[in-house]
Amino acid sequence: MESNKKRVLLYGGSYNPIHQGHINAALHAANFLKVDEVWLVPRKYNYDGSLLLDGKYRVEMIKLAINGLSNFKICDIELKDKNKELIYTYNTALKLTKKFKNITFYFLIGADQLNNLRHWYNASKLTKLFNFVCYQRPGYIIDLKICEEFNIKIIDGPVVDVSSTIVRSGSFNNVDEAISQYIMDKQLYLKERVMPRLMEDRFIHVLSTARIAKKIAIANHVNTNSAYVAGILHDIAKGLPFDDIVNIVKQYFKNNLKHPSFTYHAYASAYIAYHDFGIKNKKILKAIYNHTQATKNMSKLDKIIYCADKLEEKRSFASSLDDIRKVAFEDIDKCFVLLMKEQVKMLKEKNKPVDPKINEMIEFYERK
């Protein structure tokens, strides 16, 4: 009999990443329906074609979010689907109802999804396989005709004002601390977290630097993730007023105040990468720290970031460095010296002062 069936609430979503808004809606809907379990169903693809973080990371964050919620489970049926095309909820419903004949399934959606339900694949058949329920959200006027047509229950409850987009931008107020720590430890959503901190032209520059740094790293057998991370964070301090950059140097790098002021943002960027982005890899931090002024202990990664910063193709002078850029993919050590020489040449042509240290470094690395 129906009354003896197990009652399960399904809650599908991209969970990119999961946040307290998801958990809040699922908890209140579960209490309202008096279900036995809640199954969170992470989506394999976004229907709008936008990219999703790899499912393994999203699943790990879901595990952190539901830790302590004994009746919450992860249903990875869509992630395991080998179909490379879009996975329709109707097809998922067919599989689940066939496999679990002793379960009555409820399917939780938001008000925005409800108003679009007529456009879902096989909507009329789908809403007979699953009992649809909708969690009300402020700002959305529910189409009651659709509710009646598909027999959808409406659930009112408190709403946590957060979105996955906000979390991806680096605002972690409405995610568990374990999830925010996981995001930083795994260096997830770096591009999204960097974007709000920089002006558009600077963001384009760091993104272009990260991409070419990764390509150069591949050619020179250097860790590509380290190159990308250092590249996208090398100018992160440039989003601050210069006085704030100076204050960071005064507080944490006092001995560097004697260095030319154009180097300050590199030290401040290394500080921000560590404290705000959770970068603990010393090689990455050193590459960010060294990207403006060569030193005698430059690693291959240091040289890649130093060169990528100048060689990225969005620079106004990019075309003049085409020959040197080619060398970067053949021999980063040789490219590093050529680029320092080119910098001296350009400064002299513009009658600008040349930092004496760069000539010292050219001599040092040519001998080396």
Side-chain angles (χ1 to χ4, degrees):
M1 292 177 64
E2 185 74 19
S3 59
N4 294 328
K5 281 190 172 185
K6 185 176 180 180
R7 295 159 64 87
V8 170
L9 175 66
L10 297 170
Y11 190 13
S14 61
Y15 298 116
N16 189 35
I18 192 168
H19 52 66
Q20 289 172 5
H22 295 126
I23 299 299
N24 171 75
L27 280 171
H28 285 282
N31 289 335
F32 178 85
L33 296 166
K34 298 188 174 6
V35 296
D36 299 296
E37 291 180 353
V38 176
W39 294 2
L40 302 179
V41 189
R43 193 178 297 142
K44 188 171 186 177
Y45 305 113
N46 264 339
Y47 297 123
D48 62 3
S50 58
L51 294 176
L52 284 176
L53 185 68
D54 191 296
K56 67 182 179 182
Y57 297 115
R58 290 183 284 133
V59 166
E60 287 304 311
M61 288 188 279
I62 294 172
K63 288 178 182 177
L64 293 171
I66 64 177
N67 183 34
L69 298 171
S70 58
N71 64 330
F72 275 61
K73 316 287 182 187
I74 299 172
C75 175
D76 59 2
I77 185 170
E78 294 192 358
L79 289 180
K80 286 183 174 177
D81 195 309
K82 294 188 179 174
N83 188 352
K84 293 184 179 179
E85 303 299 324
L86 284 178
I87 300 166
Y88 292 106
T89 304
Y90 173 71
N91 294 334
T92 300
L94 287 175
K95 291 177 184 177
L96 288 176
T97 51
K98 183 179 179 181
K99 184 176 181 179
F100 301 102
K101 298 186 185 303
N102 64 331
I103 293 179
T104 298
F105 285 109
Y106 296 85
F107 193 78
L108 180 62
I109 60 173
D112 54 334
Q113 295 170 302
L114 183 148
N115 291 339
N116 195 43
L117 192 56
R118 287 195 182 111
H119 299 288
W120 286 35
Y121 178 67
N122 273 346
S124 58
K125 293 181 180 179
L126 169 61
T127 50
K128 288 181 175 63
L129 294 171
F130 288 163
N131 300 292
F132 270 60
V133 291
C134 174
Y135 199 81
Q136 178 68 284
R137 286 174 61 184
Y140 286 92
I141 299 172
I142 288 178
D143 188 332
L144 296 177
K145 289 182 180 178
I146 294 178
C147 291
E148 186 177 344
E149 180 182 346
F150 296 109
N151 193 29
I152 299 172
K153 289 180 181 172
I154 305 298
I155 302 172
D156 283 314
V159 175
V160 178
D161 187 16
V162 63
S163 71
S164 293
T165 302
I166 290 172
V167 177
R168 290 196 299 271
S169 72
S171 177
F172 297 145
N173 294 333
N174 288 300
V175 294
D176 292 348
E177 187 177 338
I179 293 175
S180 61
Q181 190 60 53
Y182 182 85
I183 289 171
M184 290 198 289
D185 288 347
K186 298 294 182 182
Q187 298 159 9
L188 306 178
Y189 309 120
L190 262 183
K191 185 170 71 171
E192 293 90 339
R193 288 190 281 148
V194 167
M195 186 187 295
R197 289 174 174 251
L198 299 173
M199 298 293 286
E200 184 180 4
D201 59 343
R202 182 60 54 182
F203 176 71
I204 291 170
H205 164 66
V206 300
L207 193 57
S208 184
T209 299
R211 287 169 176 166
I212 193 171
K214 186 174 180 179
K215 291 176 182 177
I216 296 171
I218 292 170
N220 287 273
H221 311 291
V222 173
N223 185 284
T224 54
N225 184 63
S226 295
Y228 183 88
V229 173
I232 203 166
L233 291 174
H234 81 282
D235 271 359
I236 192 65
K238 286 283 187 84
L240 299 175
F242 185 68
D243 287 347
D244 290 353
I245 293 174
V246 173
N247 286 334
I248 291 174
V249 177
K250 282 181 178 177
Q251 191 168 355
Y252 300 102
F253 307 97
K254 285 182 183 177
N255 293 336
N256 293 4
L257 287 169
K258 61 190 179 201
H259 295 179
S261 60
F262 70 82
T263 64
Y264 288 5
H265 77 275
Y267 314 136
S269 292
Y271 171 85
I272 293 169
Y274 180 85
H275 286 275
D276 293 5
F277 287 81
I279 305 301
K280 301 297 189 289
N281 185 310
K282 291 181 180 179
K283 292 179 180 179
I284 293 174
L285 295 172
K286 180 170 169 281
I288 295 170
Y289 182 95
N290 281 333
H291 86 267
T292 57
Q293 191 176 47
T295 67
K296 289 184 177 180
N297 64 342
M298 299 281 275
S299 66
K300 279 194 183 290
L301 178 61
D302 294 349
K303 293 173 184 176
I304 287 171
I305 303 306
Y306 183 97
C307 293
D309 176 39
K310 286 94 180 155
L311 295 174
E312 65 92 356
E313 293 172 330
K314 301 297 180 183
R315 291 279 204 180
S316 58
F317 50 80
S319 60
S320 66
L321 298 175
D322 285 346
D323 291 339
I324 296 178
R325 190 178 298 105
K326 289 176 185 175
V327 176
F329 294 94
E330 300 163 1
D331 184 343
I332 190 61
D333 298 316
K334 183 178 179 181
C335 174
F336 177 57
V337 173
L338 288 174
L339 197 51
M340 285 192 288
K341 288 182 175 180
E342 184 65 22
Q343 284 179 275
V344 172
K345 177 185 169 186
M346 289 171 67
L347 288 169
K348 286 181 177 178
E349 286 175 353
K350 295 178 180 179
N351 293 317
K352 290 186 176 182
V354 177
D355 178 11
K357 190 170 182 181
I358 194 168
N359 285 318
E360 180 189 337
M361 289 300 103
I362 290 170
E363 290 179 16
F364 174 79
Y365 281 102
E366 281 193 317
R367 289 198 307 271
K368 192 173 180 180

